[in-house]
Amino acid sequence: MYKYFDQNNYDWEDKSSNLKDLKILIEKYLNGRKEAENLYFKGKAKNIKLHSSTLNSESIFAALESMLESKITLGEGNSTYEKNLADFFRVNNAVSVNSGSSANLLAIFGLLEAGILSKNDRVIVPALSWSTTVFPLSQAELVPVFCDQSYFDFNIDLDQLEEQAKRDDVKALVLIHTYGLSANMERILDICKKYRLILIEDTCESMGAKWDNKYCGSFGLASTFSTYFSHHICTLEGGIVLTNDSSLDQVFRAMRSHGWARDFPSDSNIFNEYQNHDSSFLFPHTGFNIRLSEPQAKIGIEQLKLLPSILTSRIKNGEEYIGRINKNSELRTYNISPKAECVFFGLPLLLPDRFDYKKTLLLRRYLRSNGVETRPFLCGDFTNQPALKKIRYEKPYKCHVADTLHKRSIALPCHQDISFEDINKIFELLYSYL
């Protein structure tokens, strides 16, 4: 490291040269690892994994460069990443956070902080759900009201949604775009307008999905995304909150960083109102510490460049799956509306009527023993989870479809690196088992 310095003066030209060497070294390592893996598995059965890393040499180098420059906490990298996200999704504001779970937490508590929602309000949520979609509602003293799924596209049941929306105490909908497939936004926007529901989109599984050529996550008052390893892009851990509402964006930014006013415009009234406080340490909101680190934001900048090609690969592989499924009368997956562009978080597969939960588990074990990773579709009917005994919630109607998906559905690998050969192997195993 001494060659970086010359008589205590930093040699910027030499530093740049050495960083270039580091980037080349990372590329060589990744390429060498891939070659070694291909050589090792030549002629051998290779496991088909549920997920595959999207991290490339540019993403890894960007993070290391940020750390070498001591750019660690929220800064220029996050600002650039947020601007690029807002431009990509065609919204006004994007707020980076440290996970998709934190994104949901921030969206819900931000709406409460802004007075848009109030404690004890009922909020509709799909029964086929995820823990951190539901738990922030309970933590904010809101009441989740579960709604069944549609047998057509496995998204929320629109008729049951409308029935529940008629209640005076139901104030919002947390909509999940399930496994890369947009819900029917035409009908949902109509229901939300008709019954004055606040729309929050949980788009953590569906980055890049569209309805009528408009991105999911750009319809609601607030929307959330995840950039965890298994998702469409990866910042190690990470999440995003989008909104077109500038005042809500300001609340989100404060709450992400302890409730701090440091991101407020310098001419904000809050600084005149509290002139006896140091403006650098003014806290107008409650908050958390859920910021995304600067090295992760630098990864995000590079990952966003890859997103279009990742989506193209996932769509191609998903369509190959659907073509195979449509040839077998015993199997089915979600139906994709002509107005929807599905980006396949995985491939949800509904098994024949003769399957129950135990038979489904045996199939998954058979596939795993033959080198194919699977998982439950989301986590099944969330109203069956033991944690719900600890929270207030409502389930006005039976969730028959969610229950069916819980008992006899699985999720198959469908990502940017899966091959048609892999898909062929999966179907050979399925047909053999069936």
Side-chain angles (χ1 to χ4, degrees):
M1 65 182 286
Y2 291 108
K3 63 182 177 181
Y4 286 134
F5 298 87
D6 181 20
Q7 296 179 352
N8 297 322
N9 292 318
Y10 199 64
D11 188 341
W12 290 100
E13 185 177 349
D14 194 39
K15 168 244 176 188
S16 177
S17 173
N18 278 274
L19 283 178
K20 185 179 179 182
D21 290 343
L22 176 60
K23 188 173 184 180
I24 292 169
L25 185 65
I26 293 167
E27 288 172 353
K28 282 183 176 179
Y29 175 82
L30 291 179
N31 290 335
R33 181 176 155 185
K34 190 172 183 179
E35 287 173 14
E37 188 178 84
N38 290 338
L39 189 63
Y40 176 79
F41 283 106
K42 192 174 182 181
K44 298 179 182 179
K46 187 178 179 181
N47 285 353
I48 302 172
K49 296 185 177 181
L50 264 172
H51 308 293
S52 179
S53 175
T54 60
L55 292 176
N56 60 352
S57 58
E58 286 81 3
S59 302
I60 295 167
F61 174 75
L64 290 174
E65 184 181 32
S66 183
M67 287 187 278
L68 289 168
E69 293 290 340
S70 295
K71 294 175 179 176
I72 304 302
T73 193
L74 204 67
E76 166 268 329
N78 267 278
S79 297
T80 301
Y81 179 44
E82 290 172 342
K83 182 184 182 306
N84 293 353
L85 286 163
D87 290 345
F88 183 90
F89 291 108
R90 304 170 200 157
V91 296
N92 294 338
N93 308 290
V95 181
S96 63
V97 290
N98 62 1
S99 73
S101 305
S102 294
N104 284 341
L105 192 75
L106 184 62
I108 297 303
F109 274 85
L111 290 167
L112 206 68
E113 186 86 4
I116 295 168
L117 290 175
S118 302
K119 290 179 181 179
N120 296 312
D121 283 347
R122 270 55 177 172
V123 179
I124 298 170
V125 66
L128 188 73
S129 192
W130 189 251
S131 60
T132 51
T133 306
V134 176
F135 292 156
L137 300 173
S138 175
Q139 289 157 350
E141 296 183 55
L142 301 166
V143 182
V145 180
F146 287 97
C147 185
D148 201 7
Q149 309 303 125
S150 160
Y151 192 70
F152 176 78
D153 63 4
F154 301 164
N155 275 306
I156 197 165
D157 182 308
L158 299 175
D159 292 332
Q160 195 179 112
L161 167 64
E162 182 151 21
E163 281 303 308
Q164 296 192 21
K166 292 175 182 177
R167 293 171 46 176
D168 290 338
D169 57 354
V170 169
K171 303 298 183 183
L173 163 65
V174 176
L175 174 68
I176 298 175
H177 297 287
T178 307
Y179 257 56
L181 178 58
S182 172
N184 183 332
M185 294 312 301
E186 211 167 284
R187 177 92 186 271
I188 285 167
L189 290 174
D190 181 63
I191 291 169
C192 288
K193 182 179 180 181
K194 189 175 179 180
Y195 300 103
R196 298 182 181 180
L197 293 187
I198 301 300
L199 175 60
I200 305 125
E201 294 178 83
D202 183 334
T203 326
C204 289
E205 303 168 7
S206 301
M207 181 179 282
K210 292 179 182 177
W211 177 267
D212 204 12
N213 207 36
K214 184 176 179 181
Y215 281 111
C216 295
S218 64
F219 292 94
L221 180 59
S223 65
T224 61
F225 293 83
S226 170
T227 54
Y228 176 63
F229 161 72
S230 62
H231 293 245
H232 290 73
I233 63 172
C234 170
T235 57
L236 309 183
E237 296 272 0
I240 305 151
V241 180
L242 302 183
T243 183
N244 283 313
D245 188 301
S246 296
S247 60
L248 193 55
D249 174 66
Q250 187 168 280
V251 173
F252 288 153
R253 290 182 187 281
M255 294 187 76
R256 153 182 82 172
S257 298
H258 313 285
W260 231 327
R262 57 167 43 181
D263 285 326
F264 281 32
S266 57
D267 60 352
S268 292
N269 288 334
I270 194 81
F271 299 123
N272 291 326
E273 192 176 346
Y274 294 94
Q275 292 185 23
N276 292 331
H277 290 72
D278 186 326
S279 60
S280 300
F281 292 88
L282 188 63
F283 296 85
H285 293 293
T286 62
F288 311 97
N289 178 15
I290 51 175
R291 295 169 291 196
L292 188 72
S293 73
E294 196 73 353
Q296 288 173 286
K298 290 295 185 83
I299 293 173
I301 292 167
E302 298 302 321
Q303 287 282 292
L304 202 53
K305 296 173 187 175
L306 298 176
L307 183 56
S309 65
I310 289 169
L311 296 177
T312 298
S313 296
R314 283 179 175 263
I315 291 167
K316 177 191 71 174
N317 292 330
E319 288 173 348
E320 177 68 13
Y321 264 115
I322 288 174
R324 302 288 189 96
I325 291 168
N326 288 343
K327 292 176 183 176
N328 188 299
S329 59
E330 286 198 296
L331 300 172
R332 65 153 299 196
T333 185
Y334 41 28
N335 290 287
I336 300 173
S337 165
K339 288 191 174 184
E341 187 172 296
C342 182
V343 293
F344 299 95
F345 179 64
L347 198 289
L349 187 69
L350 182 60
L351 299 166
D353 291 350
R354 65 179 180 273
F355 276 73
D356 56 19
Y357 183 78
K358 287 182 180 179
K359 288 180 180 177
T360 300
L361 190 58
L362 288 172
L363 170 61
R364 290 188 58 215
R365 287 175 180 169
Y366 167 76
L367 291 171
R368 186 69 186 91
S369 68
N370 284 278
V372 179
E373 292 183 356
T374 66
R375 56 161 291 169
F377 183 16
L378 275 171
C379 51
D381 183 350
F382 200 76
T383 64
N384 293 332
Q385 294 292 338
L388 263 70
K389 295 173 184 175
K390 302 178 180 180
I391 70 171
R392 289 171 65 204
Y393 73 94
E394 294 178 7
K395 187 179 176 182
Y397 304 95
K398 290 193 175 182
C399 297
H400 294 294
V401 176
D403 184 60
T404 298
L405 292 169
H406 184 89
K407 290 174 180 174
R408 54 184 182 93
S409 72
I410 62 174
L412 297 171
C414 186
H415 49 75
Q416 68 283 349
D417 291 326
I418 200 169
S419 67
F420 284 6
E421 184 182 350
D422 294 331
I423 295 171
N424 188 57
K425 177 183 174 180
I426 290 168
F427 276 93
E428 284 179 355
L429 291 167
L430 281 170
Y431 292 155
S432 170
Y433 192 87
L434 291 172

